[in-house]
Amino acid sequence: DFRAMPAGRYVGGHGTPEPRALPLGLLIGDGCLTQTSVALSCGDPTLIAEVEPAFAAVGLQVSWSRVYNYLVTSLRAGGEVRHGPGTPAYQEFKAWLSAVGVMGKYSYEKKLPAEVFGWSQEAVCSLLAGLFASDGGVSRSAGRYPHLKYCSTSRELIDGIRELLRLRLGIYVHDVTVNEIQPGRLMCRPLYGITICGRQQVETFRANVHVPGIKRKTLDDAIAAAPAPRQENDNGFAFDHAADVGEVETYDLEVDH
C-alpha cells in the first residue's frame, strides 16, 4: 500500500516570467503604497543590499529616506539616480502596481494578484522570497525543527499565500490562526497567520525560496542547530521506508466538519 505525500515540486507548465516579482513581494509585505511615493520599510541593511539587483533589473533603486524607510526611485543608465514622479521607470512601475491591484491599498486590503498563479516557478519563488523577507519569520524552540511563519492583517492575502504554497511547492500549512483584537492592546485589526512546519516542508521551502537578508541566515542557523531526524523524512507519519512512485492516480478523502 502507498500513502500519497506532497511531491515538493511543481509539475505544471513553464508559466510567465516576471522580473518584478521580488520587489512586489517586498512591497506587499512592508511597502507603503497609499502615498504619492512608493516606500519600503526595512531595518535590515543586508536585505537592501541583496535586493538592489532585482530593483535595478527593472530600472529602479531603493534609496534611503529616513530611519527604516526607503523610497523606490528610478535608475538612469550609468547608475545615476533620478528622483521624482516624472521618471519613466518609476511611472511604469507604479502603473503596473495599479494594474495588478496593489497600489493604493492599506495592509489589511492587500492580496495576491490573480496573475501570480500563472507566473513561472522562478517568479513565484521570488515573490514568496519577498513576502517572507518582509512579514515572515522563523520560530525556534529547543529540541524541535524550526517553523516558518507569515502574518498579516489581510485574511485574503494569507489565503492567497497558503494556496500558492500548496499549488506551486506542494507545501501544506496548518489552518489559519487568528489573533483577535483585545482591549488595551495596540492592535486595531485581527492578525492572521500561517505556519510551515515539518522537516520536509521547511526544507522544500528553503531549497526553492531564497529569502534575502538576515532571515535567511536565521533560518540556516536554526536548521543547523535542529535535532537529527527521527525517520527518513518528517511528515508526522510512521513508516518503514519511502519511495518515489512517480505520478499515479490518487484520491482525496474530505470530511465536512
Side-chain angles (χ1 to χ4, degrees):
D1 293 337
F2 296 97
R3 182 187 296 274
M5 299 304 299
R9 54 188 172 87
Y10 177 53
V11 295
H14 295 294
T16 305
E18 180 47 73
R20 296 162 292 195
L22 178 58
L24 178 64
L26 291 166
L27 291 170
I28 289 177
D30 277 340
C32 177
L33 303 172
T34 58
Q35 307 297 320
T36 303
S37 59
V38 176
L40 175 66
S41 298
C42 180
D44 178 11
T46 65
L47 184 149
I48 295 299
E50 196 170 339
V51 302
E52 280 182 345
F55 280 89
V58 291
L60 301 170
Q61 176 167 314
V62 281
S63 306
W64 186 87
S65 174
R66 59 182 185 273
V67 178
Y68 304 138
N69 191 75
Y70 295 80
L71 293 178
V72 176
T73 61
S74 287
L75 182 65
R76 275 188 186 174
E80 180 185 352
V81 179
R82 181 181 174 188
H83 299 261
T87 54
Y90 177 78
Q91 284 300 321
E92 290 173 9
F93 186 62
K94 279 189 68 177
W96 179 73
L97 291 176
S98 296
V100 298
V102 173
M103 195 67 198
K105 303 297 184 183
Y106 291 97
S107 59
Y108 59 90
E109 299 175 311
K110 292 178 179 178
K111 62 180 180 180
L112 289 186
E115 294 88 338
V116 307
F117 291 91
W119 286 357
S120 67
Q121 191 71 348
E122 180 182 2
V124 166
C125 290
S126 293
L127 174 73
L128 290 169
L131 288 165
F132 277 82
S134 50
D135 279 344
V138 180
S139 177
R140 296 185 287 184
S141 57
R144 297 187 61 188
Y145 204 75
H147 294 32
L148 288 162
K149 295 180 177 290
Y150 190 90
C151 297
S152 173
T153 53
S154 168
R155 174 62 189 258
E156 199 167 358
L157 174 60
I158 288 292
D159 288 340
I161 295 172
R162 188 185 187 198
E163 185 72 352
L164 196 63
L165 288 167
R166 181 184 71 84
L167 291 175
R168 301 302 291 269
L169 291 177
I171 292 176
Y172 292 76
V173 303
H174 286 185
D175 291 339
V176 176
T177 60
V178 184
N179 289 334
E180 299 287 357
I181 301 171
Q182 297 179 15
R185 297 185 64 180
L186 295 177
M187 287 175 54
C188 60
R189 296 185 183 279
L191 185 67
Y192 304 97
I194 53 174
T195 302
I196 301 174
C197 59
R199 183 179 298 270
Q200 182 189 33
Q201 301 211 111
V202 172
E203 290 184 353
T204 295
F205 182 92
R206 178 177 177 269
N208 290 276
V209 181
H210 187 87
V211 178
I214 191 65
K215 290 179 183 176
R216 177 72 179 194
K217 183 179 186 304
T218 302
L219 177 59
D220 289 346
D221 290 347
I223 289 176
R230 294 169 307 195
Q231 52 192 28
E232 191 170 337
N233 56 40
D234 194 32
N235 293 308
F237 298 102
F239 54 87
D240 296 324
H241 67 278
D244 186 354
V245 297
E247 296 181 29
V248 297
E249 187 174 11
T250 58
Y251 302 89
D252 290 330
L253 176 64
E254 182 175 331
V255 179
D256 187 358
H257 296 286

